[in-house]
Amino acid sequence: MKLVRSSGYSATSVDQLCAEAGVTKGAFFHHFPTKEALGVAAAEYWSASTSGYFAAAPYHHHADPVDRVLGYIDFRMALIGGPVEGFSCVAGTMVQEAFRSSAAIRVACEASIMGNAKALEADLADAIAQRGVRGTTPESLARHVQTVIQGSFVLAKTQNGDASADLAREQLGHLRRYFSMLFGAAREENLQ
Amino acid sequence: MKLVRSSGYSATSVDQLCAEAGVTKGAFFHHFPTKEALGVAAAEYWSASTSGYFAAAPYHHHADPVDRVLGYIDFRMALIGGPVEGFSCVAGTMVQEAFRSSAAIRVACEASIMGNAKALEADLADAIAQRGVRGTTPESLARHVQTVIQGSFVLAKTQNGDASADLAREQLGHLRRYFSMLFGAAREENLQ
DNA sequence: GACTGGATACCGACTGGTTGGTACGTTTTT
DNA sequence: AAAAACGTACCAACCAGTCGGTATCCAGTC
């Protein structure tokens, strides 16, 4: 995770990986047939650990589905801080490099990102139904959350120091505002 | 451009570059001292060619600044189609890989992305002033446009075939809706 | 208009180090 | 005793970058 997030997938060599993990090359290739397989496993591990992390987060307790959705965004914003390597996404980083060269990695990263999106769909569906939002779907909005998150990481990488985290947080603020308006405005309209 | 967009920066070798360009390695290293210098030059070329392209686009003619901003988004949406390599961003792709290993490339990509954002700031400032939007700045909104664009490219890379372009276009649709609500709702509020 | 000298453009073989991956032996677990 | 885990030495291919040489251009000179 550490090496891929700071150097990218292809610039990270198997030798570096082994040195960082305190493992010999023989052991590495005993467990993974190729470097590509490690990439797939990394995406799957990332997927499993993040989905577990978000499932245990506190924002699920809100009664109002809109509060749950905004709570998720607030939670994501609170996670952003320090150097980019500390909050960026392994799947997003890998798929950018490997989408054409490795179908297996592409699919694993797709599963990670879309799986993360899927965890929001139920709350978004409730929010849409309750506030009578039209013209979009919970699936599309869930993807938009991921879009803004991934995009904020790209822009964060153009900065150095604290500016990275500040920029990423600022951008999630716009996502929050969009959802706030989308569900808030629809509510007012609904009450007329 | 072609090789970086489809294979990424570090997975693209100087030999491949030379073969693709029909140039020998001697010629390459005559013009660029290092591969990194080519990366910087690529970002600068990308920056110059895209800014020229957008400066000549038709959306500037609208009288209403909000129409100019939405026109920009529509223009970007119209550019999306075919394989991801055809519409993705060279600067966004490179900075993801090289932000830690090469400060020069990071800065060149920052200049490209932020320069593209800057081109929208005047219209956004006019729109904010005219509609009385509060709580954000033209700079922040301009960055948000780039965030959604870059994020949509990342998500597009998780898909294959036509689904890539469809997903990217769908996501720019949310950006359009956000701006539409932000400036539209503020207008109604303003007229009360 | 022919000649010259120096600068620039370009070529392609070469180098030292690195790459992902293998072969084969040894240790540890079951 | 068998199988899984792990270590070491090694390999061919490839990597960015170098180097000595050649071709081309152009300003100045006669």
Side-chain angles (χ1 to χ4, degrees), chain A residues 5-8 10-11 83-85 88-89 91-93 95-101 106-107 109-110 113-114 133-137 139-141 143-155 157-161 164 167 170-175 177-179 181-183 185-186, chain B residues 5-8 10-11 83-85 88-89 91-93 95-101 106-107 109-110 113-114 133-137 139-141 143-155 157-161 164 167 170-175 177-179 181-183 185-186:
Chain A
R5 293 215 278 192
S6 57
S7 311
S10 46
V84 198
E85 299 94 306
S88 67
C89 175
T93 303
V95 79
Q96 281 248 40
E97 294 181 66
F99 76 102
R100 193 91 321 171
S101 61
R106 205 210 76 228
V107 168
C109 293
E110 178 192 6
I113 293 171
M114 295 307 175
V133 173
R134 271 174 300 215
T136 189
T137 63
E139 292 79 14
S140 179
L141 280 174
R143 284 191 288 268
H144 191 57
V145 174
Q146 299 302 315
T147 296
V148 176
I149 289 172
Q150 296 294 338
S152 74
F153 294 163
V154 175
L155 264 72
K157 284 174 182 172
T158 67
Q159 307 291 307
N160 61 0
S164 293
L167 178 48
E170 174 199 79
Q171 290 306 309
L172 287 202
H174 283 294
L175 176 66
R177 187 167 188 164
Y178 174 44
F179 278 17
M181 292 174 76
L182 189 65
F183 295 123
Chain B
R5 292 216 277 193
S6 57
S7 310
S10 47
V84 198
E85 299 93 306
S88 66
C89 173
T93 303
V95 79
Q96 282 248 38
E97 294 181 66
F99 76 101
R100 193 93 318 175
S101 62
R106 205 210 75 227
V107 168
C109 292
E110 178 192 4
I113 294 172
M114 295 307 174
V133 173
R134 272 173 301 213
T136 190
T137 63
E139 292 80 15
S140 180
L141 280 174
R143 284 190 288 268
H144 191 58
V145 174
Q146 298 302 314
T147 296
V148 175
I149 289 172
Q150 296 294 337
S152 74
F153 294 163
V154 175
L155 264 73
K157 285 175 182 172
T158 69
Q159 307 291 305
N160 61 1
S164 293
L167 178 47
E170 173 200 78
Q171 291 305 309
L172 286 202
H174 284 293
L175 176 66
R177 188 167 188 166
Y178 174 43
F179 278 16
M181 292 175 75
L182 189 64
F183 296 122

